[in-house]
């Protein structure tokens, strides 16, 4: 989760924030250590405990993996049907229902306190870290120092996030060895950026600490608090799947909101044919164009969108929440003859490729550069359209069931 929000810190004043942004960064690679020394000085001036600064910033060189990931341009644009098949699969739904039962008390408390639907809270948890299974392995001070010293135009942002992360430790909410997360600094059960953690983390379990790494109640409560602050309205709908006329050429997009009555006049209907009625305002989302599934999305969709600034992400959260609450799959199929496949099927696809002699490394269910290259080779050999996609067509062609 990438939250571009400022710090509200007990140890960092407005003047200090200005100083953080004004620190000059060395431009050459060989000056990395000098840059880190500057970060240490800045952290000390910000009130971070000296012992925390010494341990956290004992760094000799940038983390190359972080630099690579920060510069990668997506070479493979994921179709929406692949994205949804991967994120909202049978396993994530089953696991989500299990954790909802296991953590029913915490979810109920978060829902009652912040007014956010428990199924949406659980869905964020499921999609961000697979319910805590994949929280990230990057040591945040190293990753954020790398970005702060090599982050180009966003260097000031990364410096602020670094200081926020160290402040969390210095304040006693987390030990330093718990600061592991994504290459970009998001961490914890539901992947908060450090500055967001400082602003919006809550102590739902009442132990006096705001621990979004090991305290599931705190993580769930903090997620609910974030969504409430982003505009979640208790009792309002998540989304409605609808059908649009074949010749529809009217407004679309989550920001162009009209009343349900207005959408009905434009020929929009629920998937069961029932008329839309009411003054509640919604935007029309067509993630795959007029011939795919269509949705009316409300203010609560915008609150989830704020979590990661992607409509596909918000749609996945809302759909997973619906499935966790007992709803079914979309009524309209995606407009493709090669649908996406689940995580289990992706893993099996990799195993099938390995069995046929393709060198993709270890099968882990993650479709990276080597897997896509192998898929392209297999598609050529089988006479299929060459896409490099982990789709149903190549999966079945290789013997997947």
């Amino acid at each position: 989760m990438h939250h571009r929000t400022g710090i509200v810190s007990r140890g960092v004043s407005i003047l200090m924030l200005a100083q953080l942004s004004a620190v000059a960064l060395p431009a050459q690679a060989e000056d990395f250590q000098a840059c880190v020394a500057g970060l240490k000085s800045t952290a000390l001036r910000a009130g971070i405990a000296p012992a925390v600064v010494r341990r956290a910033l004992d760094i000799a060189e940038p983390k190359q993996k972080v630099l690579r990931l920060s510069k990668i341009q997506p070479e493979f644009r994921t179709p929406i049907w692949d994205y949804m098949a991967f994120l909202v699969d049978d396993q994530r739904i089953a696991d989500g229902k299990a954790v909802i039962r296991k953590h029913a008390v915490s979810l109920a408390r978060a829902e009652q306190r912040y007014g956010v639907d428990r199924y949406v809270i659980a869905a964020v948890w499921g999609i961000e870290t697979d319910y805590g299974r994949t929280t990230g392995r990057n040591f945040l001070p190293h990753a954020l120092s790398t970005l702060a010293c090599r982050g180009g135009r966003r260097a000031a942002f990364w410096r602020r996030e670094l200081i926020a992360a160290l402040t969390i430790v210095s304040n006693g909410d987390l030990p330093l060895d718990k600061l592991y997360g994504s290459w970009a600094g998001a961490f914890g059960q539901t992947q908060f950026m450090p500055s967001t953690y400082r602003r919006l983390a809550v102590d739902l379990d009442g132990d006096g600490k705001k621990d979004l790494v090991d305290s599931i109640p705190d993580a769930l409560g903090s997620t609910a608090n974030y969504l409430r602050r982003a505009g979640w309205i208790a009792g309002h709908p998540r989304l409605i799947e609808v059908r649009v006329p074949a010749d529809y050429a009217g407004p679309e997009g989550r920001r162009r909101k009209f009343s349900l009555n207005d959408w009905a006049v434009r020929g929009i209907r629920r998937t069961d044919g029932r008329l839309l009625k009411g003054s509640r305002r919604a935007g029309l989302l067509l993630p795959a164009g007029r011939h795919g599934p269509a949705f009316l999305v409300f203010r609560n969709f915008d609150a989830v969108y704020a979590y990661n600034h992607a409509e596909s992400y918000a749609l996945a959260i809302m759909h997973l929440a619906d499935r966790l609450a007992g709803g079914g799959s979309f009524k309209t199929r995606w407009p493709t003859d090669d649908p996406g496949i689940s995580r289990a099927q992706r893993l099996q696809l990799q195993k099938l490729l390995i069995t046929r002699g393709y060198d993709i490394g270890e099968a882990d269910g993650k479709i990276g550069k080597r897997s896509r290259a192998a898929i392209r080779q297999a598609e050529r050999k089988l006479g299929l359209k060459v896409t490099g996609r982990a789709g149903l067509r190549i999966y079945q062609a290789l013997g997947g069931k």
Side-chain angles (χ1 to χ4, degrees):
M1 182 177 83
H2 300 278
H3 301 307
R4 290 159 176 77
T5 49
I7 304 172
V8 178
S9 169
R10 284 172 286 190
V12 183
S13 66
I14 297 299
L15 176 60
M16 184 58 65
L17 286 176
Q19 291 173 336
L20 288 177
S21 298
V23 174
L25 293 182
Q28 302 301 318
E30 60 269 20
D31 289 332
F32 181 76
Q33 289 187 18
C35 177
V36 172
L39 294 174
K40 290 178 181 178
S41 297
T42 300
L44 290 170
R45 292 197 304 273
I48 309 300
V52 172
V53 175
R54 285 195 300 272
R55 289 178 55 214
L57 299 180
D58 183 17
I59 300 167
E61 58 187 27
K63 189 174 179 65
Q64 295 301 320
K65 181 180 179 181
V66 169
L67 291 175
R68 287 197 303 272
L69 290 172
S70 70
K71 295 174 182 176
I72 288 175
Q73 296 296 322
E75 61 182 18
F76 190 80
R77 183 167 181 172
T78 305
I80 184 65
W81 41 87
D82 284 349
Y83 186 82
M84 296 297 292
F86 173 79
L87 287 179
V88 188
D89 60 11
D90 290 343
Q91 188 62 56
R92 207 179 308 267
I93 294 166
D95 290 346
K97 290 180 177 179
V99 301
I100 286 172
R101 290 192 296 271
K102 183 176 181 180
H103 298 285
V105 173
S106 295
L107 285 165
R109 186 180 303 161
E111 183 179 71
Q112 182 177 22
R113 183 174 298 181
Y114 301 106
V116 178
D117 186 332
R118 71 187 66 189
Y119 298 108
V120 172
I121 300 170
V124 172
W125 187 20
I127 285 181
E128 285 290 348
T129 65
D130 199 19
Y131 309 106
R133 293 190 184 96
T134 56
T135 56
R137 298 180 180 180
N138 296 283
F139 184 50
L140 261 59
H142 197 175
L144 291 169
S145 294
T146 296
L147 293 165
C149 293
R150 300 286 182 82
R153 62 183 177 82
R154 299 192 65 210
F157 169 77
W158 302 119
R159 288 198 302 278
R160 289 193 295 269
E161 293 300 333
L162 172 64
I163 298 302
L166 298 183
T167 302
I168 292 168
V169 175
S170 190
N171 285 347
D173 284 320
L174 286 176
L176 185 62
D177 62 8
K178 294 297 183 179
L179 287 188
Y180 282 83
S182 75
W183 67 265
F187 73 113
Q189 296 281 333
T190 53
Q191 297 289 280
F192 273 32
M193 290 296 287
S195 61
T196 305
Y197 193 119
R198 298 235 46 236
R199 289 192 309 115
L200 299 177
V202 299
D203 174 23
L204 196 69
D205 62 15
D207 68 353
K209 296 182 179 181
K210 299 172 183 178
D211 178 1
L212 308 194
V213 176
D214 291 328
S215 171
I216 289 173
D218 287 2
L220 299 178
S222 299
T223 301
N225 186 38
Y226 181 95
L227 293 173
R228 183 189 67 170
R229 293 287 193 93
W232 184 275
I233 302 173
H236 281 213
R238 292 189 284 264
L239 56 78
I240 299 174
E241 186 180 358
V242 295
R243 298 191 192 281
V244 299
D247 59 350
Y248 181 77
E252 61 179 274
R254 67 179 183 85
R255 293 186 178 186
R256 302 185 68 184
K257 289 183 171 60
F258 300 90
S259 73
L260 295 180
N261 290 331
D262 289 335
W263 288 117
V265 170
R266 290 184 169 92
I268 309 298
R269 298 287 184 270
R270 294 176 181 268
T271 52
D272 61 7
R274 288 185 297 138
L275 289 176
L276 295 162
K277 295 180 180 179
S279 59
R280 189 162 288 166
R281 296 171 65 81
L284 177 64
L285 204 65
L286 302 174
R290 289 187 293 107
H291 301 295
F295 310 92
L296 288 180
V297 297
F298 301 82
R299 182 65 188 86
N300 286 346
F301 184 91
D302 295 336
V304 173
Y305 173 88
Y307 209 90
N308 203 19
H309 296 274
E311 289 181 349
S312 55
Y313 172 88
L315 180 62
I317 294 289
M318 291 303 206
H319 185 45
L320 178 57
D322 282 345
R323 298 301 303 272
L324 295 179
S329 57
F330 296 145
K331 297 294 188 293
T332 302
R333 293 185 178 184
W334 296 110
T336 178
D337 58 359
D338 188 14
I341 57 178
S342 69
R343 289 174 295 165
Q345 289 172 317
R346 288 182 174 211
L347 179 61
Q348 181 61 21
L349 172 59
Q350 289 180 319
K351 291 179 178 178
L352 290 167
L353 289 167
I354 291 171
T355 298
R356 290 181 177 240
Y358 295 100
D359 180 15
I360 66 166
E362 182 181 354
D364 59 4
K366 299 176 182 178
I367 305 299
K369 185 176 181 179
R370 294 171 71 182
S371 292
R372 291 195 291 271
I375 290 170
R376 285 192 289 269
Q377 293 175 40
E379 287 171 329
R380 290 190 190 97
K381 186 172 182 180
L382 293 167
L384 301 175
K385 180 181 178 181
V386 177
T387 67
R389 277 187 58 242
L392 186 63
R393 181 182 292 128
I394 185 63
Y395 176 72
Q396 293 180 334
L398 291 175
K401 304 296 183 182

